[in-house]
Amino acid sequence: YVLTFKHSGTGHSVSFPAIIDSFSDTHSPVVNTKVFAGTPNPTITQGSTGREISFTFKVLSASLEEARYNTQSTNMLLQMMYPKLSVRGRPVSDPYIQVSGFGMLRDGTSVGSTQLIIQNITYSVNPDEGFIMAKGELHPISLTVDISAIAILPTDYDSEAPQPYPSDYPRYR
């Protein structure tokens, strides 16, 4: 896969040739339960649904150029966790990141990506797999990136009442 991460505030993007090691997608409704005297069953209402995603991918470098690119891309991805700031240091946009390139991340919109707020990025180097060295440089051959995030669910504002998915989204009957 080629995973692409795009920062919505700045428009910067990075791509990684990635091997997906693990993927988890959890959808959790927020429900309220009320119990009334004289009724055997509670009244249950759903307020919203949250989506948490976590995935791990491995990035391999076969040359010094690839290793430099992957190192720079990892550093840029870390910077994307922060909002775009004004000259006075105040946030002017949220740190939303669009991720594309892996079909399981699709959220049903036509753009083919999912918008996330990244909660955690952990990257690690496996020294047993070796390094690529050049004058004054040392880059890992293998880099593993672990991401956990909250997905921003899309909303279809074209319908009469806003829906979490477009009205033409595939349905199973």
Side-chain angles (χ1 to χ4, degrees), residues 54-151:
S54 62
F55 56 100
T56 302
F57 61 95
K58 185 180 279 191
V59 179
L60 302 175
S61 300
S63 67
L64 180 60
E65 292 77 26
E66 283 183 4
R68 284 177 180 151
Y69 173 83
N70 291 331
T71 300
Q72 290 171 347
S73 295
T74 302
N75 289 327
M76 177 63 86
L77 180 59
L78 293 171
Q79 292 175 33
M80 288 181 183
M81 291 181 65
Y82 300 93
K84 180 179 178 181
L85 301 176
S86 70
V87 289
R88 293 187 176 158
R90 295 197 172 122
V92 294
S93 71
D94 291 317
Y96 296 156
I97 296 174
Q98 289 181 333
V99 183
S100 58
F102 182 53
M104 297 297 292
L105 284 171
R106 291 199 57 181
D107 61 12
T109 62
S110 61
V111 293
S113 64
T114 297
Q115 200 165 34
L116 306 172
I117 295 177
I118 293 181
Q119 295 179 302
N120 187 4
I121 295 178
T122 303
Y123 67 95
S124 57
V125 173
N126 185 348
D128 293 336
E129 293 184 25
F131 293 90
I132 297 175
M133 294 181 274
K135 187 187 270 185
E137 295 181 64
L138 180 68
H139 299 280
I141 290 176
S142 175
L143 180 69
T144 301
V145 181
D146 184 30
I147 294 178
S148 59
I150 297 173

Side-chain angles (χ1 to χ4, degrees), residues 12-67:
H12 292 116
S13 66
V14 294
S15 296
F16 295 94
I19 300 167
I20 305 295
D21 281 342
S22 67
F23 176 76
S24 171
D25 191 354
T26 304
H27 298 255
S28 303
V30 176
V31 294
N32 296 314
T33 305
K34 294 181 183 179
V35 178
F36 298 98
T39 59
N41 296 321
T43 301
I44 299 173
T45 57
Q46 181 176 338
S48 64
T49 299
R51 181 181 183 197
E52 294 187 23
I53 296 172
S54 62
F55 56 100
T56 302
F57 61 95
K58 185 180 279 191
V59 179
L60 302 175
S61 300
S63 67
L64 180 60
E65 292 77 26
E66 283 183 4

Side-chain angles (χ1 to χ4, degrees), residues 106-109 165-173:
R106 291 199 57 181
D107 61 12
T109 62
Y165 288 99
S167 57
D168 61 349
Y169 192 69
R171 303 209 186 289
Y172 298 99
R173 298 178 202 255

